[in-house]
Amino acid sequence: MKSTLTAGVLAACVGLLVSQTAHADAIKVSMTVDNAYALFVGNRSAATTFVGSDGNWPSVESYSFNLARDAYLYVVTASDLTQAQGFLGQFENQTSGYKFYSQNPQWQVMSTGLGPNAPYTGSAADLQLLSNEIQDANGGGNPSQGWRSFTAGGANGSSPWGAMSGIDSLASWVWYAAGSCNRNNPTLGGCDAGEWLVFRIAVAATPDNPIPDNPISSTVPEPTSFALAGLGLALAAALRRKKV
Ligand SMILES: [Ca+2]
Ligand SMILES: [Ca+2]
C-alpha cells in the first residue's frame, strides 16, 4: 500500500514538473479597441515581441498563440478622447477549455500619463519604452500607482458601437475609470484616463488567482521550483519509508 502510494506521489510530482516546464497553452484572443491598440507578447517585466496593431474599432481581430504559462499579453491603447472609448475582448485557453471576457478580473490596466502617442511600430525602441513602463507599474511608480481593474460599461451590442461579430454577447466594453472619465461608466463620453493605457493578462490567470504576479505572493516559489521541492519531499519521504 505504502509503496504504491509513494509511487503515485512520485508520478504526480514528475507529471507536475513536466507540465510546468514543458507545457505551452494554445491561446486565442479576439478583441477590438476604440480607438486603437498594439498587441505585444512578453513576460511579467517586459514586452519582448510585437504582434500587430489595429486602428479600426468596428473590426474584431483574432490572434492565436502557443504560449508558456508564465507569458503575458500586453495591449497598448490609444484614444482620441472623444465620444467613447473601450476595450472589448475574449480570451480562450484552448488547451484547458477556459474562456472569459474583458470585464473579468483576469485583465489588468495601468496608465502611463505619457500622452496620446502610444508605441505602435514594434521597433526595439518601442519595446524598451513599453518594458520601462511595465516595470514602473510593477513597482507602483506610474500614474495609476500599479496595475488596476477595469470598469465595465455596456455589453457587446450596446450603443454607440453596436454588435461586434467574433466576440460573444456576454462580453462587455471596459475602460479604466480614472482621470476625467466617468467613474461609473468610463466607456461613454470622451475622457482622458491617463493615456496612454496598457492592458495585460497572464496566461496562467484564473478566477481564483487572477493576478499570479501579485507582489504579495512574490515569496511563493515559482511553479518549477515548487514542483522540484515537491519532488524532493516525495523522494525524502520514499527514502524514509524504505528505512522503516
Ligand atoms: Ca479593430
Ligand atoms: Ca473614441
Side-chain angles (χ1 to χ4, degrees):
M1 278 284 276
K2 265 187 182 170
S3 63
T4 306
L5 183 64
T6 305
V9 169
L10 275 172
C13 286
V14 171
L16 179 64
L17 184 64
V18 169
S19 71
Q20 295 289 2
T21 53
H23 195 63
D25 284 5
I27 305 296
K28 182 182 179 186
V29 178
S30 303
M31 58 179 284
T32 192
V33 169
D34 177 350
N35 287 85
Y37 71 86
L39 178 64
F40 298 81
V41 173
N43 53 45
R44 190 199 162 198
S45 58
T48 54
T49 306
F50 173 72
V51 178
S53 64
D54 183 76
N56 185 36
W57 67 258
S59 66
V60 170
E61 294 75 46
S62 286
Y63 304 92
S64 293
F65 311 89
N66 283 312
L67 293 176
R69 303 225 74 210
D70 60 353
Y72 281 74
L73 293 175
Y74 290 97
V75 182
V76 169
T77 70
S79 162
D80 62 4
L81 314 182
T82 62
Q83 189 182 359
Q85 48 284 320
F87 164 54
L88 179 74
Q90 66 189 28
F91 179 102
E92 295 170 76
N93 186 324
Q94 296 175 319
T95 302
S96 64
Y98 181 50
K99 181 182 192 178
F100 56 87
Y101 303 103
S102 30
Q103 73 273 21
N104 291 135
Q106 290 90 330
W107 293 96
Q108 297 179 288
V109 59
M110 65 92 156
S111 60
T112 65
L114 295 178
N117 297 317
Y120 272 38
T121 67
S123 70
D126 280 359
L127 287 171
Q128 187 60 54
L129 172 61
L130 178 53
S131 297
N132 290 347
E133 293 304 309
I134 290 166
Q135 284 153 29
D136 274 358
N138 288 350
N142 65 324
S144 57
Q145 296 182 299
W147 293 91
R148 300 293 171 186
S149 301
F150 285 115
T151 296
N156 185 15
S158 65
S159 177
W161 304 281
M164 298 286 115
S165 65
I167 296 179
D168 295 352
S169 58
L170 290 170
S172 289
W173 290 88
V174 298
W175 203 245
Y176 181 39
S180 62
C181 295
N182 184 309
R183 296 301 190 271
N184 295 319
N185 183 354
T187 68
L188 298 181
C191 65
D192 186 341
E195 310 298 327
W196 35 279
L197 305 181
V198 180
F199 310 156
R200 77 170 174 184
I201 187 164
V203 167
T206 66
D208 293 336
N209 191 17
I211 311 167
D213 65 343
N214 188 324
I216 292 166
S217 62
S218 64
T219 53
V220 173
E222 294 295 314
T224 303
S225 58
F226 185 73
L228 281 167
L231 183 60
L233 285 172
L235 280 168
L239 287 170
R240 270 200 306 274
R241 281 183 185 127
K242 260 193 167 175
K243 279 179 188 167
V244 175

